[in-house]
Amino acid sequence: MRVRKLTLAAMALAAGLSLTACQNDDGTDQSATPPAASAPSAADGGSGSAGSDQEGGTDSGGKTPNESGGSGGSDATGGSGEDGKTAKCRTDELEITAIDATVGGDDRGTVAVDLKNGGGRDCTLEGYAGVDLKTNAGTLSAKRTGEQAPTVVLADGDTVTFGITYPVNDTGGSGVRITGLVVTPPNETKSVTLDWPGAASLPVTDGSGTPVQVGPMGSAGQGG
């Protein structure tokens, strides 16, 4: 009887150990729990991507702000017109003055007009300037001499001169009194009004006499 009881106790103990082992196996099953390293790895990857976007300093085109800014600066510093040529001189960029340039013994008077570039950049003058004389009888427009007008590239600070010739009043009468000189640079609409530096008057004419004439850029003296 005692032997049987010991046998039953041993069998009960073995069964208990077997049950405990099964419970430990179920409790330590790692297949239902994500690996401890997987969550930090995903979090690290997300923050790294955001940090790359914020710290990389690149735009959608792959250029840094300095690169794209430099390219814009290169375009802004160009001193040429849209076609790549030097831009024309504007009236506001030019200092325009006039002096009497008549040579003794000439049968015509001469006024020299200077155009000095003060615009801070090279510019171009092409053709004839517009010239009008204000008189007590109205406005008189000078006629072009007809000479070929070269294109003048005027560097900043440089000056180009053209000439105005007019008939001398030697009739003994008061003639047509000149009160002012109006100059319009080539291809411009804005004019500058100057004091007339030449003789005070023009001879009265029926239109058949010598006209007031203007020479092209670079001319001086008798229209040339």
Side-chain angles (χ1 to χ4, degrees), residues 3 5 14-15 21 24-25 55 63 65 68 73 89 101-102 111 134 136 144-145 158-159 167 175 185-186 200 221:
V3 172
K5 287 182 179 180
N24 286 340
D25 289 342
E55 296 173 7
K63 295 182 179 180
S68 46
C89 298
T102 303
V111 166
K134 291 184 174 182
N136 61 340
R144 298 177 179 181
T145 60
D158 283 356
T159 300

Side-chain angles (χ1 to χ4, degrees), residues 9-27:
M11 290 176 65
L13 177 61
L17 290 174
S18 175
L19 179 61
T20 301
C22 291
Q23 288 175 347
N24 286 340
D25 289 342
D26 293 340

Side-chain angles (χ1 to χ4, degrees), residues 98-103 106-113 128-129 131-133 140-147 161-169 178 181 196-199 201-203 209-216 219-224:
I99 61 170
D100 182 13
T102 303
V103 178
D106 283 351
D107 59 352
R108 290 189 293 173
T110 301
V111 166
V113 180
Y128 284 77
V131 171
D132 297 297
L133 301 186
L140 175 64
S141 296
K143 296 181 179 181
R144 298 177 179 181
T145 60
E147 299 170 82
T161 304
F162 68 87
I164 303 170
T165 58
Y166 60 95
V168 176
N169 181 20
I178 304 172
L181 169 64
W196 173 250
S201 65
L202 301 172
T210 302
V212 177
Q213 290 184 304
V214 55
S219 68
Q222 305 297 325

Side-chain angles (χ1 to χ4, degrees), residues 149-188:
T151 298
V152 177
V153 177
L154 201 59
D156 182 41
D158 283 356
T159 300
V160 65
T161 304
F162 68 87
I164 303 170
T165 58
Y166 60 95
V168 176
N169 181 20
D170 55 5
T171 62
S174 59
V176 177
R177 185 166 52 88
I178 304 172
T179 60
L181 169 64
V182 180
V183 177
T184 308
N187 302 308
E188 278 287 274

Side-chain angles (χ1 to χ4, degrees), residues 56-59 62-72:
T58 60
D59 60 18
K63 295 182 179 180
T64 64
N66 285 340
E67 287 174 339
S68 46
S71 138

Side-chain angles (χ1 to χ4, degrees), residues 1-11:
M1 185 68 176
R2 185 177 179 181
V3 172
R4 185 180 179 183
K5 287 182 179 180
L6 289 174
T7 302
L8 291 173
M11 290 176 65

Side-chain angles (χ1 to χ4, degrees), residues 100-126:
D100 182 13
T102 303
V103 178
D106 283 351
D107 59 352
R108 290 189 293 173
T110 301
V111 166
V113 180
D114 291 338
L115 290 81
K116 181 178 180 179
N117 181 9
R121 64 180 180 90
D122 293 358
C123 63
T124 300
L125 291 169
E126 182 176 4

